[in-house]
Amino acid sequence: MNKLIDIFCDVDDFCHKFLPVWEAELIANGTKKRRRQSKMTTSECMTIVIAFHQSNHRDFKNFYIGLVQRYWLEDFPTLLSYTRFLHKMSALIIPMCAYFQTVKGKPTGIAFVDSTSLKVCHNIRIPRNRVFDGVAKRGKGTMGWFYGFKLHLLINHIGEIISLKITPGNTNDRTPIPELCKNLYGKLYADKGYIGKKLSEKLAEGDIDLVTTVRKNMKAKAISIFDRAMLSKRYIIETINDQLKNISQVEHSRHRSGTGFMLNVISGIVAYCLKKKKPRIKLSASEFGLMEV
């Protein structure tokens, strides 16, 4: 329960600063005509959604009805019905995205990048899928063909997510890298899928050194001991992808709208960012010094 209180306090502090500015902007440009107060505050709703992604429950309905409505009524005295809460969730996506900007990690000079598939349905159901028709695309990953999107992650060596981007499943892994690396510096470690002369040159203009292994049909290149060691520790980002999918539940096939899909992904990522124990690579000050060698 202390964890729930900690999440609410942090989210509520953020909402007190963000919501008045955001709502004033909506009223000014005509998007929002009036300010109707809901029984539950935005911070309470965000807390429940984030708690779901930290709870190991596999679907939100059982979590809300079986846990929140049964045992959390004292913490949320104005709790909405499950159906009413679902209607309110669509309004959480922008505050949740803004909140992510406050909990994401910062560059440390060592970064890892990778992409993972976000399947929205089984392959045999692709022709019948209407929710993501024209938006999701077929792509191919290490586990074969899939239909949906790609989640591109950029993390630092202590397991913090620095930036992310969601693209259709057929997007080349190299395409979103320049945008992901806008505020990055130092070393960027990636797999063979990110090899490209143009990409390396573009990143070098921003003082970013892209380090990858080579393909079998390529000539071997000189690489420092430190870089070789860091390439061998790329499992850290694969571990984070696994936690996002199997603990934070950012991937499932029960979506009923694109907005629900986006909220589910960003909420799961925020839930991961708020975890105290993350996968990390322990490096001493002397080991950091080897980066320059």
Side-chain angles (χ1 to χ4, degrees), residues 83-285:
T83 305
R84 185 72 190 96
F85 191 89
L86 289 184
H87 285 293
K88 187 171 176 59
M89 284 177 70
S90 60
L92 301 180
I93 185 166
I94 292 180
M96 195 70 77
C97 289
Y99 181 56
F100 166 71
Q101 299 299 320
T102 68
V103 297
K104 68 180 183 179
K106 296 180 180 179
T108 60
I110 300 175
F112 299 85
V113 66
D114 198 9
S115 68
T116 187
S117 61
L118 294 177
K119 306 179 189 71
V120 295
C121 72
H122 193 280
N123 285 344
I124 63 174
R125 297 191 180 92
I126 294 174
R128 288 181 284 167
N129 188 283
R130 295 291 178 267
V131 176
F132 299 98
D133 187 25
V135 182
K137 300 294 181 182
R138 298 187 194 220
K140 190 175 184 181
T142 55
M143 302 300 291
W145 290 93
F146 69 94
Y147 178 72
F149 302 88
K150 278 185 179 180
L151 173 62
H152 304 265
L153 283 184
L154 187 71
I155 69 164
N156 57 28
H157 76 283
I158 54 177
E160 297 174 336
I161 297 174
I162 302 173
S163 60
L164 65 94
K165 191 171 180 65
I166 300 172
T167 64
N170 61 352
T171 304
N172 188 295
D173 286 347
R174 295 188 295 267
T175 303
I177 296 301
E179 187 176 352
L180 284 173
C181 299
K182 277 184 178 179
N183 300 314
L184 197 67
Y185 64 89
K187 302 273 190 176
L188 175 62
Y189 298 95
D191 60 24
K192 299 172 185 177
Y194 295 86
I195 295 175
K197 185 178 180 181
K198 288 184 178 179
L199 177 60
S200 297
E201 291 175 348
K202 186 172 184 64
L203 292 177
E205 293 174 1
D207 292 327
I208 302 170
D209 182 16
L210 177 63
V211 183
T212 65
T213 53
V214 296
R215 299 191 182 99
K216 291 181 180 179
N217 61 349
M218 296 174 62
K219 292 181 180 179
K221 62 179 181 179
I223 185 170
S224 69
I225 297 174
F226 182 86
D227 287 343
R228 195 176 299 278
M230 288 298 102
L231 284 174
S232 70
K233 296 183 181 296
R234 285 196 67 261
Y235 62 81
I236 182 175
I237 194 167
E238 294 168 0
T239 302
I240 291 173
N241 282 331
D242 182 69
Q243 289 190 6
L244 288 174
K245 286 186 173 184
N246 297 311
I247 298 177
S248 295
Q249 306 295 334
V250 300
E251 180 188 55
H252 67 76
S253 59
R254 303 180 300 277
H255 297 294
R256 296 296 176 263
S257 69
T259 302
F261 164 78
M262 291 299 296
L263 178 62
N264 183 73
V265 174
I266 192 64
S267 300
I269 290 171
V270 166
Y272 169 82
C273 291
L274 293 176
K275 284 176 60 175
K276 299 221 175 139
K277 292 184 179 180
K278 301 181 179 70
R280 61 184 299 159
I281 300 172
K282 294 182 180 179
L283 294 174
S284 64

Side-chain angles (χ1 to χ4, degrees), residues 45-65:
C45 295
M46 288 175 64
T47 300
I48 289 175
V49 173
I50 293 170
F52 161 68
H53 288 281
Q54 291 187 339
S55 68
N56 292 326
H57 280 71
R58 295 197 66 83
D59 77 88
F60 186 74
K61 184 175 183 179
N62 287 333
F63 167 77
Y64 195 84
I65 295 175

